[in-house]
Amino acid sequence: MRVKRLLRLVAAAGLVALVAVGGVTVVTLRGSLPRLDGQVPVAGLSGPVTVSRDDLGCPTVVAATRADLAYATGYLHAQDRFFQMDLMRRVAAGELSALFGPAALPSDRERRLFRLRSRAAAVVASLPSQDRLLIDRYVAGVNAGLEALGVRPFEYVVLGQAPVPWRAEDSFLTGWAMYFSLQGHFNRKLGRAWLRDHATAAQLAFLLPASTRFDAPLDGTAVDEPAAPVPDAAPDWFGRSRAGGIQGRVDEPVPSGNVGSNNWALAGTRSLHGAAIVSNDMHLGLQLPANWYRAVLSWPGEDGVPRRLTGVTLPGLPALIAGSNGHVAWGFTNSYADTIDLILLERDPADARRFRLGEGWAPVTSVVEHIDVKGQAGEDLVIEETPLGPVRRMAGRDYAVHWIGAGADAINLGLMAFEQARDVGRLLDAANRAGLPAQNIVAGDRNGHIGWSIAGPLPGRRWTTAAGFPYPSSDPAPGWRGLRKASDYPRIEDPAGGALWTANSRQIAGSAYDLIGDGGPDLGARTHQIMDDLKELGARSDEKAVYAIALDDRARFLAPWRDRALAVLTDNVVAGHPERAEFRRLLREDWSGRAEPASVGYRLAHDFLSAYYAELFGGLDDALAKDGVGVTLRSITARWPAVAERLADSQPAGWLPNGRANWQQVGVAAVDAAIADLTRDGEVLAKATWGSRNTAHIAHPFTRFAPWLRAVLAAPPDPLPGDVNMPRVAMASFGQSERMVVAPGHEDLGIFNMPGGQSGHPLSPYFLAGYEDWVAGRATPLLPGPERHRLVFVTE
């Protein structure tokens, strides 16, 4: 009895200790919650600044000057999102190892190659006085907000680190982090070169089409390049079995290559109120906190007329990224412009410090960058640099990486000029001069005009097929040597149909596309569906009708692949194979024509296509991996489904995968692979719903190395409607990072939601505020609701 009593006492003491530790932890964590009410004295303000928050924590900030507004924005960003900001600057500068230790060294080595911290410092040193004032006030606000927290943000408590104060160059590094996310596809051209070296010219033209039937150019015309004929024979690598068989390829999460954002605009001639309506849902990796920080920012302009910005900001920058200034609204999608050259270096046999450049020789210099590493001695990284860019070793060879993102004009505060634009034309002018990763910008103004162009720097060349591959340093002709003039940018304003749309695919038909270049655009199925949705809106529409396009989960792209699966599952094929018969039955009976969570038919059609990819290209992906190329066919070209469908429908004998007697066997093998994958853990096909695969996995980065933290640092694992190749892009941790519809001058009718709340703090009521609306696709108001909290910055 004494032993049992002793054990009970020990257990009770342990529980008390655990509760005590938990209580201390909660109290500690609460110390890093942002301040929501009261007064904060600040030196250097021109007047009071009020911050009103609604039930979702969305701030409305009213200031006397734009500089005061920048200070308040920085303060809010730091209090709600400092760790997120810190990761962004470290990702760009290659400084993660100082925070996380040696596990982050591979990433740091890759990013440090471009020495972006020193480039950012040079940008700061050259800023015009007004821009420097705004950045300095923003930085002061960030550091004041960080210092005002009673306890450092909880992430630093867990890591045993102290946050490093914000510096002016860090704001520009935040922009460079987006460059890596949107343009950092350095190995794609290596993959194209591998294909070129392992295929005939005719085979290459077929495998890498410049356009397909899915394209939906902005001017409404068809892309006029004829499809390359199917060659008589396939390359030797085609149709080879993957190592270990097909199984595993079915689990590829993305059946297309690039799925980065939708936007569209409806002209005033087609809206109920006469103003243009702009919609934007930017697709990014989803985690907590959310990518964007929603805000309304207001101040009197220099002319005394009130200014109001409504939309999303990016923690780390004082500018509005997308939204409305009351006169013009705008949104972005990634343009997939070709902004990278890979130059194969031919070194001087007598002096490795020189390489051939055209007819002469150019120097290779060395720079040493020191990488701090938490918990151990740092590392000195020797970087070789050439006049064309730093040297990167890829697939066993040395290349100079000539990337527009590493140039002096890659980043500026050009976004701030959007705030002053009063019409579409002037906003597009500002966009052409802005320093940001080259984006499609679609805009509309309160007078009903709409327009599209490219925001951000473009290489000053006309893109050619040769530019799509690495080239030797002895032949610099395909490369670019300067930036395209803003006056030479492509632009479309007020098209006859009264609508514009982009979704990462080819934007323009004909040779005009050469002004942008093929940097790996999306297939175009999503773009085409958006274009058709806009046509179906009718003569006059409102914001809710425009918003509904973002939720379109109709399976227009996948439906033909369902039909192909059914076509191979003939009575003879399913006879004696009950699982094939069940696969066919579910494809027929459990198909709503949408990517709905409850749909089994959609899941089966999706996995059939993934397995079909493995039949055709799985062996290629193995070969690319074996040769160290670092990409798959999916990342080389998102147009592969157009190639696959041409093969599936024309069934050329010279392209049969190894071991298949006919094309029906190819389809049956894909069905069997999908079945094997779906039932490998004892599951039955009837329970293989789309939602059981497409389940939200949106969490704080800490959950990657501490999964037990998901209970407090993750969104619920909700089944998600949508998929790639349709407007409602949704995957487990990638998708619509916000949905916004707004007409300038009618912001009260606008719509907004995003997959996470304003705060990055798990104890904040705003950590997940709005997430449920995003999952359900509810059309919640863009403007904040009634005031629940008020914080006032007063002059000290």
Side-chain angles (χ1 to χ4, degrees), residues 13-63:
L15 179 61
V16 169
L18 183 62
V19 170
V21 170
V24 171
T25 301
V26 170
V27 170
T28 300
L29 290 179
R30 285 195 174 279
S32 59
L33 283 168
R35 185 171 182 178
L36 303 179
D37 297 288
Q39 290 190 346
V40 178
V42 177
L45 288 181
S46 301
V49 180
T50 62
V51 178
S52 304
R53 293 191 192 241
D54 68 352
D55 285 327
L56 296 178
C58 178
T60 298
V61 187
V62 180

Side-chain angles (χ1 to χ4, degrees), residues 58-61 76 293-297 309-313 320 758 784:
C58 178
T60 298
V61 187
L76 296 175
Y293 191 86
R294 182 183 173 196
V296 176
L297 310 175
L309 307 177
T310 306
V312 293
T313 64
L320 190 77
Q758 290 289 100

Side-chain angles (χ1 to χ4, degrees), residues 226-510:
V230 182
D232 292 336
D236 291 341
W237 50 259
F238 181 81
R240 295 183 183 274
S241 298
R242 290 197 79 223
I246 292 175
Q247 185 170 331
R249 180 56 60 182
V250 179
D251 270 343
E252 285 284 349
V254 187
S256 182
N258 306 310
V259 286
S261 310
N262 303 324
N263 64 7
W264 53 91
L266 205 63
T269 55
R270 295 184 58 188
S271 75
L272 291 178
H273 45 53
I277 304 176
V278 175
S279 179
N280 195 201
D281 50 278
M282 295 180 280
H283 307 159
L284 293 167
L286 305 180
Q287 62 181 29
L288 296 176
N291 300 91
W292 308 109
Y293 191 86
R294 182 183 173 196
V296 176
L297 310 175
S298 180
W299 78 107
E302 295 178 359
D303 55 4
V305 177
R307 304 280 195 267
R308 185 177 71 169
L309 307 177
T310 306
V312 293
T313 64
L314 180 64
L317 288 167
L320 190 77
I321 302 298
S324 172
N325 67 10
H327 295 270
V328 190
W330 66 92
F332 295 110
T333 71
N334 199 8
S335 68
Y336 286 96
D338 182 19
T339 61
I340 299 169
D341 282 344
L342 293 183
I343 301 98
L344 179 61
L345 295 182
E346 179 188 338
R347 296 195 188 244
D348 184 349
D351 182 0
R353 311 307 303 162
R354 302 197 310 167
F355 72 100
R356 188 178 297 280
L357 184 59
E359 297 298 323
W361 297 94
V364 176
T365 59
S366 294
V367 179
V368 177
E369 286 275 312
H370 183 76
I371 301 177
D372 291 326
V373 183
K374 178 187 176 184
Q376 68 179 51
E379 173 180 295
D380 286 336
L381 180 68
V382 179
I383 299 171
E384 289 189 311
E385 294 187 325
T386 76
L388 296 177
V391 179
R392 179 172 173 170
R393 192 158 185 83
M394 294 183 279
R397 307 183 79 174
D398 289 338
Y399 294 86
V401 181
H402 193 203
W403 179 35
I404 210 163
D409 298 310
I411 292 289
N412 60 35
L413 284 184
L415 269 171
M416 305 297 291
F418 291 20
E419 301 174 359
Q420 306 298 328
R422 292 295 178 265
D423 55 55
V424 162
R426 279 179 280 189
L427 185 127
L428 296 183
D429 288 342
N432 297 155
R433 297 188 296 267
L436 69 158
Q439 300 288 289
N440 294 303
I441 182 167
V442 166
D445 62 34
R446 65 191 305 163
N447 294 320
H449 300 291
I450 58 175
W452 160 86
S453 190
I454 299 294
L458 290 172
R461 66 170 174 209
R462 280 196 172 268
W463 196 86
T464 64
T465 301
F469 298 92
Y471 61 87
S473 60
S474 58
D475 178 22
W480 55 275
R481 293 294 178 269
L483 300 183
R484 182 170 304 286
K485 295 179 180 178
S487 59
D488 194 26
Y489 274 48
R491 182 180 295 198
I492 296 174
E493 293 187 61
D494 293 330
L500 288 168
W501 56 87
T502 75
N504 316 117
S505 61
R506 180 170 176 165
Q507 306 94 330
I508 313 174

Side-chain angles (χ1 to χ4, degrees), residues 711-780:
V712 293
L713 290 179
D718 291 313
L720 301 175
D723 192 9
V724 299
N725 288 317
M726 61 178 55
R728 190 168 191 168
V729 170
M731 291 181 288
S733 56
F734 187 97
Q736 295 170 320
S737 65
E738 47 76 45
R739 302 186 190 108
M740 178 167 50
V741 175
V742 59
H746 300 271
E747 287 79 10
D748 57 316
L749 302 175
I751 297 168
F752 183 88
N753 51 57
M754 68 181 183
Q758 290 289 100
S759 176
H761 199 299
L763 297 183
S764 169
Y766 308 131
F767 183 59
L768 283 174
Y771 166 77
E772 292 180 355
D773 293 330
W774 176 83
V775 172
R778 281 190 281 269
T780 54

